[in-house]
Amino acid sequence: MKRGSTLFLKIAVILIGIPVLALCIFLVPEIANFAAELYPDISYLKYLVYIDLYAAAIPFYFALYQAFTLLSYIDRNKAFSELSVRALKKIKYCAITISLLLAAGMPLFYLIAEMDDAPGIILIGLVLIFASMVIAVFAAVLQRLLQEAIDIKSENDLTV
């Protein structure tokens, strides 16, 4: 396959990572400080927000790296290989991990939304959890289809 065919997708993967990095640098500290201002008697709430959001960013960037390597496999005509199946499996696990971390952090965001009277925070959290689960299911379906295609290909190679 031509290199340029996946160049757009590689650029898209990079462009997806940049806003999340900006959010991690600029918005997460603001959210944590806001939570600390709302609940001054719970001093460790700020650090729980930091831990939850930054812990969710780690599997996000690992999944982006796996998507980038998957596109590299496609460039090298190794799309139908065990390497691609492993990359999809890692993307699936990263999406599940992100969903679990965000779900574990929902009580924190419920406290913030309750005190600030902003129910949209809960809705945003639920949308992020749902989006991560959709990505996990999609990666699982692609992983299974790719594995079946590899199995069929290897059976055809053996019969010839």
Side-chain angles (χ1 to χ4, degrees):
M1 208 179 247
K2 284 184 177 180
R3 265 202 125 152
S5 61
T6 59
L7 180 64
F8 175 74
L9 292 175
K10 286 182 179 181
I11 292 170
V13 166
I14 291 169
L15 290 178
I16 288 171
I18 292 171
V20 174
L21 180 64
L23 289 174
C24 286
I25 292 171
F26 300 113
L27 191 63
V28 170
E30 292 294 323
I31 293 171
N33 289 333
F34 183 67
E37 288 174 11
L38 287 177
Y39 291 98
D41 54 329
I42 308 173
S43 61
Y44 57 87
L45 188 64
K46 176 180 184 176
Y47 301 108
L48 291 176
V49 171
Y50 276 130
I51 289 168
D52 185 49
L53 293 178
Y54 285 142
I58 293 169
F60 175 78
Y61 281 108
F62 186 71
L64 283 184
Y65 173 74
Q66 290 301 318
F68 200 83
T69 56
L70 185 61
L71 291 170
S72 297
Y73 296 150
I74 293 170
D75 278 343
R76 290 186 262 148
N77 290 329
K78 294 183 179 181
F80 293 99
S81 67
E82 287 297 324
L83 296 171
S84 297
V85 173
R86 275 190 254 143
L88 283 169
K89 190 178 200 178
K90 290 175 185 175
I91 291 171
K92 174 182 71 172
Y93 288 141
C94 287
I96 291 169
T97 304
I98 291 168
S99 291
L100 291 175
L101 287 169
L102 292 177
M106 284 305 288
L108 294 172
F109 298 112
Y110 174 76
L111 288 174
I112 295 170
E114 186 70 27
M115 186 63 103
D116 194 40
D117 198 25
I121 295 173
I122 304 272
L123 185 62
I124 290 170
L126 291 175
V127 166
L128 291 174
I129 292 169
F130 179 72
S132 295
M133 288 309 296
V134 167
I135 291 169
V137 169
F138 188 69
V141 168
L142 284 178
Q143 175 193 349
R144 184 170 176 165
L145 286 173
L146 189 59
Q147 186 63 51
E148 288 178 10
I150 291 170
D151 292 342
I152 290 172
K153 183 179 178 264
S154 65
E155 284 179 20
N156 287 343
D157 289 344
L158 291 174
T159 58
V160 172

